[in-house]
Amino acid sequence: PSEEYELLRRRIYSNTKEVWYYIGSTLRSLANEFEYLKTKVSNMKTMVDEHYRSLLRDVAKLADVDGYSQWRWKEFHSLSRLVEKRLRHTQNPPDCSKARKLLCNFFSHCSHNNCCGYGCRVHHFVKCLIVAYATERTMIIENPIRWKFTSRGFENLFLPLSDTCTSNDGDTVSLWPGNETTQVINYFLPTPEYADKQFHPPYIPVVLPEDLAGRINVLHGDPAVWWIGQFFKYIFRPQPSTTIAFNEFAKRVHFQKPIVGLHIRRTDKLIGEASLHRLEEYMYHVEEYYKLKELNGEYDTKRIYLATDEPTLFDEARLKYPEYDIIGDPEISKSAASLQKRDLDDSIMDIITDVYFLSHHCDYLVCTFSSNVCRLSYEIMNSLQPDASAKFTSLDDTFYFHGQVHRLNVALISHKSKGPEEMDLEVGDVIEVAGNHWDGYSKGTHLRTNKTLLYPTFKVTTKIEVLPFASYPNITL
Ligand code: GDP
């Protein structure tokens, strides 16, 4: 398919959603303002919803009937294998004593002996692996104890990052950025709060490698997500015992498809980091998912996989949604709820299991992108198929990478502001995204005026930022 066709097809899909967000939110405020309009508005909303689902279904179907499905899978496998081959190459140098290395020091994501959560830690991990790829260096985990993955080590669960090289020795050592000839570069991973520009390699997502960006952009609706996902796919190659544990879990909880993955983050996250969303808000989007399926003539038991750190949600969901098959393990969320237990080996297995089922086996995700667990599941899900970029609903943030510099939008259609809270746009204007309000508008900082205001989401698109990474001329498929 041409790039133009793929981008158009996806744009129609996402703008169908945008127009629905806009109309839905406008109708809601009309009904709130004018009591006498309530019934009329409610009937109208029912019809608009039907229009929306029918349109969304048709656009989604285009991808099944346009004859390019096979090409998409082929291109997906070809690109994933290429990235994996390059990673195997950098991670397995024939002579470790001569290899150029990047030491990843996982000290800084802990303060006062309090380390950030699993999702946060593995994002640091992947950030480092991406920098190693970009600079064609072997990533070595410095101070694995500090990594606090599990007391039995990362390799108890996943295949080692390297079969040939784990020593941090080298003739020359320097802090990032060092230079081409420095053998060992010590990359001190800063937390976003203490980020020092000096330590910020330019390769951190959502920046993409110049040599692959064009292809990824044709293949995938959010190229940065696909790119990040490939690195998670590499670090999470399971040990056989881990695969067995996943299979046993699937049997025990009677895991079945189709299924919508629900991640509900509560407990400590609600102290200053995210706001509370009721179960009904999540379930609204689950219902939408199944209504679309019904429109396709696909009737099945409605099913959710529930992953949460709030154990009471299992009973609440069973009580309020008796027609649903609710799959998951309340015992897992009990340990997730207990901050003291979280770092124990068995609860590490719990979070790994939840992320595995959300990402590998759920057909759609409903969660909050403010949570690292939710974004991680989405990133991994997108590394396993050509384009799962639309298979989610986030109740709060738009997608971002943990520790990203920024995400940019570029205007495709000009806009005249309708009030002081909106910005003007000219075609080509660039905006640093703050968030999508899921009501037809996004908020962001206009880079020319430096003002943070609202703009209609359908008038922009994601700006793809690229840089030359190591180009691996000898590693081809
Ligand atoms: P964030 O705080 O939600 O951004 O994500 P982090 O991964 O940084 O920290 C959350 C921690 O809460 C994880 O390390 C888990 O221990 C725990 N947690 C949160 N949600 C879940 C869940 O759905 N299942 C399990 N098993 N643990 C969870």
Side-chain angles (χ1 to χ4, degrees), residues 156-158 238-247 349 352:
N156 180 48
L157 298 164
F158 302 107
Q239 290 285 10
S241 55
T242 307
T243 305
I244 292 171
F246 290 153
N247 292 342
M349 195 57 210
I352 284 168

PDB file of all heavy atoms in Angstrom, residues 156-158 238-247 349 352:
ATOM      1  N   ASN A 156      16.445 -15.263  36.225  1.00  0.00           N
ATOM      2  CA  ASN A 156      15.593 -16.324  36.720  1.00  0.00           C
ATOM      3  C   ASN A 156      14.276 -16.371  35.930  1.00  0.00           C
ATOM      4  O   ASN A 156      13.654 -17.418  35.783  1.00  0.00           O
ATOM      5  CB  ASN A 156      15.320 -16.045  38.200  1.00  0.00           C
ATOM      6  CG  ASN A 156      14.438 -17.097  38.814  1.00  0.00           C
ATOM      7  OD1 ASN A 156      14.684 -18.274  38.642  1.00  0.00           O
ATOM      8  ND2 ASN A 156      13.409 -16.652  39.503  1.00  0.00           N
ATOM      9  N   LEU A 157      13.887 -15.220  35.407  1.00  0.00           N
ATOM     10  CA  LEU A 157      12.598 -15.113  34.723  1.00  0.00           C
ATOM     11  C   LEU A 157      12.722 -14.982  33.209  1.00  0.00           C
ATOM     12  O   LEU A 157      11.907 -15.493  32.456  1.00  0.00           O
ATOM     13  CB  LEU A 157      11.840 -13.887  35.248  1.00  0.00           C
ATOM     14  CG  LEU A 157      11.501 -13.925  36.733  1.00  0.00           C
ATOM     15  CD1 LEU A 157      11.124 -12.544  37.235  1.00  0.00           C
ATOM     16  CD2 LEU A 157      10.372 -14.910  36.966  1.00  0.00           C
ATOM     17  N   PHE A 158      13.748 -14.236  32.791  1.00  0.00           N
ATOM     18  CA  PHE A 158      13.887 -13.950  31.356  1.00  0.00           C
ATOM     19  C   PHE A 158      15.279 -14.337  30.873  1.00  0.00           C
ATOM     20  O   PHE A 158      16.217 -14.404  31.664  1.00  0.00           O
ATOM     21  CB  PHE A 158      13.640 -12.458  31.092  1.00  0.00           C
ATOM     22  CG  PHE A 158      12.286 -12.013  31.553  1.00  0.00           C
ATOM     23  CD1 PHE A 158      12.139 -11.229  32.690  1.00  0.00           C
ATOM     24  CD2 PHE A 158      11.140 -12.420  30.869  1.00  0.00           C
ATOM     25  CE1 PHE A 158      10.876 -10.854  33.122  1.00  0.00           C
ATOM     26  CE2 PHE A 158       9.881 -12.045  31.300  1.00  0.00           C
ATOM     27  CZ  PHE A 158       9.743 -11.251  32.440  1.00  0.00           C
ATOM     28  N   PRO A 238      10.920 -14.919  27.608  1.00  0.00           N
ATOM     29  CA  PRO A 238      10.775 -15.668  28.867  1.00  0.00           C
ATOM     30  C   PRO A 238      11.666 -16.905  28.941  1.00  0.00           C
ATOM     31  O   PRO A 238      11.955 -17.535  27.927  1.00  0.00           O
ATOM     32  CB  PRO A 238       9.293 -16.074  28.857  1.00  0.00           C
ATOM     33  CG  PRO A 238       8.896 -16.060  27.422  1.00  0.00           C
ATOM     34  CD  PRO A 238       9.733 -15.029  26.743  1.00  0.00           C
ATOM     35  N   GLN A 239      12.085 -17.235  30.147  1.00  0.00           N
ATOM     36  CA  GLN A 239      12.708 -18.529  30.409  1.00  0.00           C
ATOM     37  C   GLN A 239      11.615 -19.588  30.273  1.00  0.00           C
ATOM     38  O   GLN A 239      10.444 -19.279  30.527  1.00  0.00           O
ATOM     39  CB  GLN A 239      13.261 -18.579  31.844  1.00  0.00           C
ATOM     40  CG  GLN A 239      14.469 -17.707  32.097  1.00  0.00           C
ATOM     41  CD  GLN A 239      15.755 -18.289  31.509  1.00  0.00           C
ATOM     42  OE1 GLN A 239      15.716 -19.264  30.736  1.00  0.00           O
ATOM     43  NE2 GLN A 239      16.879 -17.671  31.833  1.00  0.00           N
ATOM     44  N   PRO A 240      11.986 -20.830  29.932  1.00  0.00           N
ATOM     45  CA  PRO A 240      10.952 -21.881  29.819  1.00  0.00           C
ATOM     46  C   PRO A 240      10.091 -21.991  31.082  1.00  0.00           C
ATOM     47  O   PRO A 240       8.874 -22.167  30.998  1.00  0.00           O
ATOM     48  CB  PRO A 240      11.783 -23.151  29.592  1.00  0.00           C
ATOM     49  CG  PRO A 240      13.072 -22.671  28.999  1.00  0.00           C
ATOM     50  CD  PRO A 240      13.330 -21.305  29.550  1.00  0.00           C
ATOM     51  N   SER A 241      10.705 -21.822  32.261  1.00  0.00           N
ATOM     52  CA  SER A 241       9.929 -21.954  33.507  1.00  0.00           C
ATOM     53  C   SER A 241       8.890 -20.826  33.630  1.00  0.00           C
ATOM     54  O   SER A 241       7.816 -21.020  34.210  1.00  0.00           O
ATOM     55  CB  SER A 241      10.854 -21.936  34.714  1.00  0.00           C
ATOM     56  OG  SER A 241      11.638 -20.764  34.675  1.00  0.00           O
ATOM     57  N   THR A 242       9.219 -19.669  33.070  1.00  0.00           N
ATOM     58  CA  THR A 242       8.265 -18.547  33.120  1.00  0.00           C
ATOM     59  C   THR A 242       7.072 -18.853  32.211  1.00  0.00           C
ATOM     60  O   THR A 242       5.917 -18.601  32.581  1.00  0.00           O
ATOM     61  CB  THR A 242       8.966 -17.235  32.682  1.00  0.00           C
ATOM     62  OG1 THR A 242      10.141 -17.085  33.467  1.00  0.00           O
ATOM     63  CG2 THR A 242       8.077 -16.025  32.845  1.00  0.00           C
ATOM     64  N   THR A 243       7.370 -19.396  31.027  1.00  0.00           N
ATOM     65  CA  THR A 243       6.284 -19.761  30.105  1.00  0.00           C
ATOM     66  C   THR A 243       5.362 -20.797  30.756  1.00  0.00           C
ATOM     67  O   THR A 243       4.137 -20.704  30.659  1.00  0.00           O
ATOM     68  CB  THR A 243       6.867 -20.315  28.795  1.00  0.00           C
ATOM     69  OG1 THR A 243       7.768 -19.348  28.281  1.00  0.00           O
ATOM     70  CG2 THR A 243       5.796 -20.607  27.767  1.00  0.00           C
ATOM     71  N   ILE A 244       5.966 -21.752  31.449  1.00  0.00           N
ATOM     72  CA  ILE A 244       5.159 -22.781  32.118  1.00  0.00           C
ATOM     73  C   ILE A 244       4.261 -22.116  33.168  1.00  0.00           C
ATOM     74  O   ILE A 244       3.061 -22.406  33.271  1.00  0.00           O
ATOM     75  CB  ILE A 244       6.069 -23.861  32.761  1.00  0.00           C
ATOM     76  CG1 ILE A 244       6.758 -24.658  31.647  1.00  0.00           C
ATOM     77  CG2 ILE A 244       5.269 -24.787  33.682  1.00  0.00           C
ATOM     78  CD1 ILE A 244       7.838 -25.602  32.121  1.00  0.00           C
ATOM     79  N   ALA A 245       4.827 -21.189  33.917  1.00  0.00           N
ATOM     80  CA  ALA A 245       4.036 -20.499  34.961  1.00  0.00           C
ATOM     81  C   ALA A 245       2.863 -19.734  34.333  1.00  0.00           C
ATOM     82  O   ALA A 245       1.740 -19.757  34.856  1.00  0.00           O
ATOM     83  CB  ALA A 245       4.927 -19.561  35.759  1.00  0.00           C
ATOM     84  N   PHE A 246       3.109 -19.083  33.195  1.00  0.00           N
ATOM     85  CA  PHE A 246       2.015 -18.354  32.505  1.00  0.00           C
ATOM     86  C   PHE A 246       0.921 -19.336  32.075  1.00  0.00           C
ATOM     87  O   PHE A 246      -0.269 -19.062  32.240  1.00  0.00           O
ATOM     88  CB  PHE A 246       2.528 -17.622  31.262  1.00  0.00           C
ATOM     89  CG  PHE A 246       3.409 -16.429  31.552  1.00  0.00           C
ATOM     90  CD1 PHE A 246       4.368 -16.011  30.625  1.00  0.00           C
ATOM     91  CD2 PHE A 246       3.245 -15.689  32.719  1.00  0.00           C
ATOM     92  CE1 PHE A 246       5.172 -14.893  30.875  1.00  0.00           C
ATOM     93  CE2 PHE A 246       4.047 -14.571  32.975  1.00  0.00           C
ATOM     94  CZ  PHE A 246       5.013 -14.187  32.043  1.00  0.00           C
ATOM     95  N   ASN A 247       1.340 -20.463  31.516  1.00  0.00           N
ATOM     96  CA  ASN A 247       0.354 -21.439  31.040  1.00  0.00           C
ATOM     97  C   ASN A 247      -0.469 -22.006  32.186  1.00  0.00           C
ATOM     98  O   ASN A 247      -1.679 -22.207  32.061  1.00  0.00           O
ATOM     99  CB  ASN A 247       1.045 -22.572  30.277  1.00  0.00           C
ATOM    100  CG  ASN A 247       1.641 -22.066  28.968  1.00  0.00           C
ATOM    101  OD1 ASN A 247       1.269 -20.993  28.484  1.00  0.00           O
ATOM    102  ND2 ASN A 247       2.577 -22.815  28.408  1.00  0.00           N
ATOM    103  N   MET A 349       6.499 -11.795  40.349  1.00  0.00           N
ATOM    104  CA  MET A 349       5.874 -12.738  39.406  1.00  0.00           C
ATOM    105  C   MET A 349       4.426 -12.312  39.140  1.00  0.00           C
ATOM    106  O   MET A 349       3.928 -12.453  38.015  1.00  0.00           O
ATOM    107  CB  MET A 349       5.934 -14.156  40.009  1.00  0.00           C
ATOM    108  CG  MET A 349       5.665 -15.244  39.002  1.00  0.00           C
ATOM    109  SD  MET A 349       6.792 -15.203  37.598  1.00  0.00           S
ATOM    110  CE  MET A 349       5.756 -15.876  36.325  1.00  0.00           C
ATOM    111  N   ILE A 352       4.392  -9.403  36.684  1.00  0.00           N
ATOM    112  CA  ILE A 352       4.815  -9.902  35.372  1.00  0.00           C
ATOM    113  C   ILE A 352       3.672 -10.669  34.700  1.00  0.00           C
ATOM    114  O   ILE A 352       3.425 -10.538  33.498  1.00  0.00           O
ATOM    115  CB  ILE A 352       6.074 -10.796  35.537  1.00  0.00           C
ATOM    116  CG1 ILE A 352       7.279  -9.891  35.759  1.00  0.00           C
ATOM    117  CG2 ILE A 352       6.302 -11.682  34.318  1.00  0.00           C
ATOM    118  CD1 ILE A 352       8.506 -10.617  36.222  1.00  0.00           C
TER     119      ILE A 352
END
